[in-house]
């Protein structure tokens, strides 16, 4: 899909000027769209024609549906490697689909995505038509494009300032935020919430952990941005109390890997950049359109640390024990992801003239497929753009396939070595 999108965007008909886009620009944009990231090296509305914008939206839609479907199928593949007794127990616990129900799973993913996008598109189209005086055709076009971009956590926008002109508009900001959260929670969690949202005590541990950590991150992120940017004249300062709360909440939702911004990120305090880095690296829920190492991984790591601090022999989450293999998978995924971001940040420091905080923000945004930027993406050299392309691709397919591979790769050892002790810390 990246190769096909690159070739399509290199066509003269794809640009507003009628001239063929450079292959680096086309490759970067296609990768950002298919990997549902949102980083851009050119102004989407000014550089691309209607054909190019439609192609970008199509790549985003295919990328989002593909990731959700692939994540669900890999989840079923992992469960298929379990023994019969374990599979029956897991299915009873999670109400998960069986391997025989794959067509229904794919159908449900597609139907759910299209329904969510249709609802959000209607709201946005009416808002653009009534409140901003857009012609009916243009309003519908804007509503559909930004809904696809929001639900799939892409972050592409058709205005040069992204969504800063709507910073105090709750209809636009909350609709896009709701679409981002719905797409980022993950297909299994959303469907369980739809089935039993009134009975939280019957939720599986995956749903409980995803919902709990998501709420903590959204609330905590909102408070951090309010505290850090309250008096900043270039961000929250000129807004009233309600506008500040809305803008801070929107800023806390977008690092879940959506990439929209209603505030000028380049004018934020560096403390806000660091908070955004953390939120971006964590990302959203599993088997959804969000990137990052996922909220479930962070939740498991928190319980691992808590059990170690209390001296517990096992890691318990609620009334369930977390297997040692799953603990190792969470630690391995986090360390490998952090190492990849660190190496990429170092390379960007070598390749570009920018500061550490700027290139770290860019590297985390690319790896976590977020799309937020401090404004340096377009001015990077071609080598920096190609590094970000590789990082976006690795960040989109890497954590998903690595997590599945770690779960599937299990060797049975018929002997145990004697234990030894090591000094930690």
């Amino acid at each position: 899909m990246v190769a096909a999108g690159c070739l399509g965007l290199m066509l003269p008909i794809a640009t507003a000027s009628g001239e063929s886009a450079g292959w680096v620009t086309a490759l970067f944009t296609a990768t950002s769209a298919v990997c549902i990231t949102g980083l851009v090296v050119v102004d989407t509305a000014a550089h691309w024609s209607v054909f190019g914008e439609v192609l970008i939206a199509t790549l985003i839609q295919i990328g989002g549906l593909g990731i959700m479907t692939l994540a669900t199928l890999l989840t079923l593949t992992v469960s298929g490697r379990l023994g019969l007794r374990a599979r029956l127990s897991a299915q009873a616990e999670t109400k998960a689909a069986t391997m025989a129900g794959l067509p229904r799973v794919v159908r449900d993913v597609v139907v759910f995505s299209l329904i969510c996008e249709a609802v959000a598109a209607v709201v946005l189209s009416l808002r653009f038509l009534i409140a901003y005086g857009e012609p009916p055709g243009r309003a519908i076009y804007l509503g559909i494009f930004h809904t696809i971009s929001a639900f799939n956590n892409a972050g592409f926008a058709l205005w040069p300032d992204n969504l800063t002109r709507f910073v105090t508009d709750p209809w636009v900001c909350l609709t896009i935020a709701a679409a981002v959260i719905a797409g980022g929670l993950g297909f299994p969690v959303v469907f369980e919430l739809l089935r039993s949202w009134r009975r939280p005590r019957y939720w599986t541990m995956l749903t409980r952990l995803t919902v709990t950590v998501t709420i903590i991150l959204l609330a905590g992120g909102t408070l951090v941005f309010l505290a850090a940017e309250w008096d900043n004249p270039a961000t929250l300062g000129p807004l009233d109390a309600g506008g500040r709360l809305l803008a801070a909440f929107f800023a806390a939702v977008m690092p879940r890997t959506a990439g929209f911004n209603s505030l000028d990120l380049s004018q934020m305090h560096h403390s806000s950049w660091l908070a955004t880095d953390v939120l971006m690296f964590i990302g959203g829920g599993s088997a959804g359109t969000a990137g990052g190492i996922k909220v479930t991984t962070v939740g498991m790591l928190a319980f691992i640390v808590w059990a170690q601090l209390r001296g517990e022999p096992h890691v318990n989450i609620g009334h369930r024990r977390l297997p040692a293999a799953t603990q190792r998978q969470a630690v391995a995924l986090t360390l490998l992801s952090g190492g990849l971001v660190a190496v990429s940040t170092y390379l960007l420091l070598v390749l570009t003239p920018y500061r550490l905080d700027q290139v770290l923000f860019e590297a985390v945004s690319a790896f976590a497929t977020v799309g937020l930027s401090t404004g340096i993406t377009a001015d990077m050299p071609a080598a920096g753009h190609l590094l970000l392309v590789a990082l976006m691709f690795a960040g989109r397919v890497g954590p998903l396939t690595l997590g599945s591979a770690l779960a599937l790769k299990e060797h049975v050892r018929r002997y145990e070595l004697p234990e030894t002790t090591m000094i930690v810390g």
Side-chain angles (χ1 to χ4, degrees), residues 306-320:
W306 179 245
Q308 188 63 37
L309 292 176
R310 297 186 60 185
E312 297 285 347
H314 301 292
V315 178
N316 300 319
I317 303 180
H319 299 290
R320 294 291 185 271

Side-chain angles (χ1 to χ4, degrees), residues 92-299:
E93 166 70 15
T94 63
K95 302 179 180 63
T98 62
M99 294 297 288
L102 292 185
R104 182 176 60 84
V105 171
V106 175
R107 181 199 65 197
D108 290 346
V109 170
V110 174
V111 171
F112 167 71
S113 301
L114 295 180
I115 290 177
C116 289
E117 291 176 354
V119 173
V122 170
V123 175
L124 290 179
S125 299
L126 290 176
R127 187 61 177 172
F128 295 144
L129 175 66
I130 298 173
Y132 297 97
E134 295 285 356
R138 177 67 177 173
I140 294 173
Y141 178 73
L142 292 173
I144 293 176
F145 184 95
H146 291 91
T147 295
I148 292 175
S149 184
F151 179 80
N152 293 289
N153 281 217
F156 281 87
L158 295 181
W159 293 281
D161 58 353
N162 206 275
L163 299 181
T164 56
R165 64 186 64 193
F166 306 110
V167 62
T168 57
D169 189 333
W171 286 96
V172 174
C173 290
L174 292 182
T175 300
I176 289 180
V180 168
I181 294 173
L185 278 178
F187 174 77
V189 172
V190 168
F191 267 70
E192 185 170 357
L193 292 176
L194 292 176
R195 286 196 308 263
S196 56
W197 64 275
R198 293 184 178 180
R199 298 175 294 173
R201 65 192 185 98
Y202 293 109
W203 292 353
T204 62
M205 195 50 60
L206 171 66
T207 299
R208 292 184 184 183
L209 202 58
T210 301
V211 172
T212 301
V213 178
T214 296
I215 292 175
I216 291 174
L217 293 178
L218 291 179
T222 301
L223 293 177
V224 167
F225 288 124
L226 279 175
E229 302 293 329
W230 185 269
D231 293 326
N232 187 343
T235 55
L236 296 183
L239 308 178
D240 57 20
R244 291 176 180 178
L245 180 61
L246 176 62
F249 174 74
F250 193 81
V253 173
M254 292 307 111
R256 291 178 55 83
T257 75
F260 291 108
N261 63 282
S262 62
L263 297 173
D264 187 353
L265 293 177
S266 65
Q267 301 300 316
M268 281 186 168
H269 295 307
H270 294 178
S271 58
S272 298
W273 285 3
L274 181 58
T276 305
D277 288 339
V278 174
L279 293 174
M280 290 192 298
F281 187 74
I282 295 173
S286 301
T289 57
I293 63 172
K294 304 297 189 293
V295 294
T296 48
T297 304
V298 172

Side-chain angles (χ1 to χ4, degrees), residues 347-359 376 379-381 384:
L347 293 176
L348 286 175
L349 283 173
V350 174
L351 295 171
T352 67
Y354 301 109
R355 303 189 311 268
L356 173 61
D357 52 358
Q358 292 176 303
V359 297
I376 66 174
D379 297 326
M380 283 188 174

